[in-house]
Amino acid sequence: PLLLVGSFRDNEVDPDGSLMSQLKNMEESGRNINVGRLVVGELSEVGVNKMLSHKFCLPMRHTLKLARLVHLKTRGNPMYIIEFLRSIIKRNMMTFSVKERRWVWDDIAIDIHMISDGVAELLTRKLQQLPLAVLETLKITSCFGQINTTAIQLLDLGQFEFVPDMKKALELAVEEGIMEKAGHIYAFAHDMLQESTY
């Protein structure tokens, strides 16, 4: 017996491409070839918390807030999680405290830390799935780069045809990880997202 293991990103493989046709040929060959597929999806917030708890040797209750931030920034993609953690450690937002004998981190600094290009690409693809009102709001916001609640109220008075409630649309964009909110200010999570909507 021979075991072959391969991996690919489904968003980078054409359904009619050579890899998929080779897999189909092997499945339909009539020979004793078993082709199995294991889809590795994104981690849930709980999964991210378990991962962080295990890696940093801390109880899950201690890593819960960090897990929420990491999940929000990476959308649960394991590769992006690792890169994001490397990034915050490299920038000293997360360090090992000899005094406390454990890993410590700055939630505020991590929260405002810009996401990586890879995550931005993932979110850019997500833009296409957003409701029209949210897309129109993001287009308007992209002209400013960031926008505060006072400006939103003034723009809402203008009665834009496609945007009945800009604040609600921006809140949805925050939930999706496309925008970030700090106090009364909304800003794009990455320059690439702003450019994609402009």
Side-chain angles (χ1 to χ4, degrees):
L2 176 66
L3 172 67
L4 292 175
V5 178
S7 67
F8 61 90
R9 295 181 184 165
D10 59 354
N11 64 331
E12 295 179 3
V13 175
D14 197 9
D16 300 327
S18 61
L19 175 64
M20 298 312 278
S21 65
Q22 287 294 335
L23 288 173
K24 186 177 178 182
N25 289 341
M26 289 189 326
E27 288 174 326
E28 297 173 351
S29 69
R31 297 183 181 156
N32 192 15
I33 299 175
N34 294 321
V35 177
R37 293 191 178 138
L38 176 64
V39 178
V40 180
E42 297 169 345
L43 295 175
S44 66
E45 193 175 292
V46 172
V48 172
N49 194 19
K50 286 179 182 176
M51 177 182 171
L52 297 178
S53 172
H54 175 74
K55 288 291 179 193
F56 297 117
C57 300
L58 291 168
M60 287 178 61
R61 69 181 184 279
H62 288 285
T63 55
L64 182 61
K65 191 170 182 183
L66 177 63
R68 285 186 183 131
L69 290 170
V70 171
H71 187 266
L72 178 70
K73 299 285 186 176
T74 63
R75 310 313 289 171
N77 182 309
M79 184 178 78
Y80 298 153
I81 291 170
I82 292 166
E83 288 304 315
F84 186 75
L85 290 173
R86 283 184 182 145
S87 173
I88 62 175
I89 290 169
K90 185 178 179 181
R91 289 173 173 78
N92 292 322
M93 296 176 197
M94 179 177 220
T95 57
F96 186 80
S97 169
V98 177
K99 182 181 176 185
E100 294 184 43
R101 295 183 179 167
R102 69 178 189 94
W103 285 91
V104 294
W105 52 88
D106 183 347
D107 291 328
I108 296 169
I110 292 171
D111 191 20
I112 61 173
H113 181 59
M114 192 168 270
I115 60 176
S116 70
D117 290 344
V119 179
E121 288 174 26
L122 182 73
L123 292 172
T124 300
R125 285 195 298 274
K126 191 181 244 188
L127 283 172
Q128 300 163 357
Q129 302 166 2
L130 292 174
L132 183 61
V134 176
L135 283 174
E136 290 299 319
T137 299
L138 292 175
K139 286 178 186 176
I140 293 164
T141 307
S142 70
C143 297
F144 300 102
Q146 65 182 27
I147 194 166
N148 63 33
T149 51
T150 306
I152 294 168
Q153 290 169 346
L154 290 171
L155 289 169
D156 272 341
L157 292 175
Q159 300 298 317
F160 287 98
E161 187 176 332
F162 295 108
V163 190
D165 187 352
M166 287 185 72
K167 187 172 182 184
K168 183 178 176 184
L170 285 171
E171 288 295 333
L172 180 59
V174 169
E175 287 175 27
E176 294 295 329
I178 293 165
M179 299 290 289
E180 293 183 343
K181 183 180 179 185
H184 299 290
I185 298 173
Y186 293 87
F188 283 91
H190 194 281
D191 294 339
M192 186 184 295
L193 294 169
Q194 181 181 351
E195 292 166 11
S196 296
T197 57
Y198 184 71

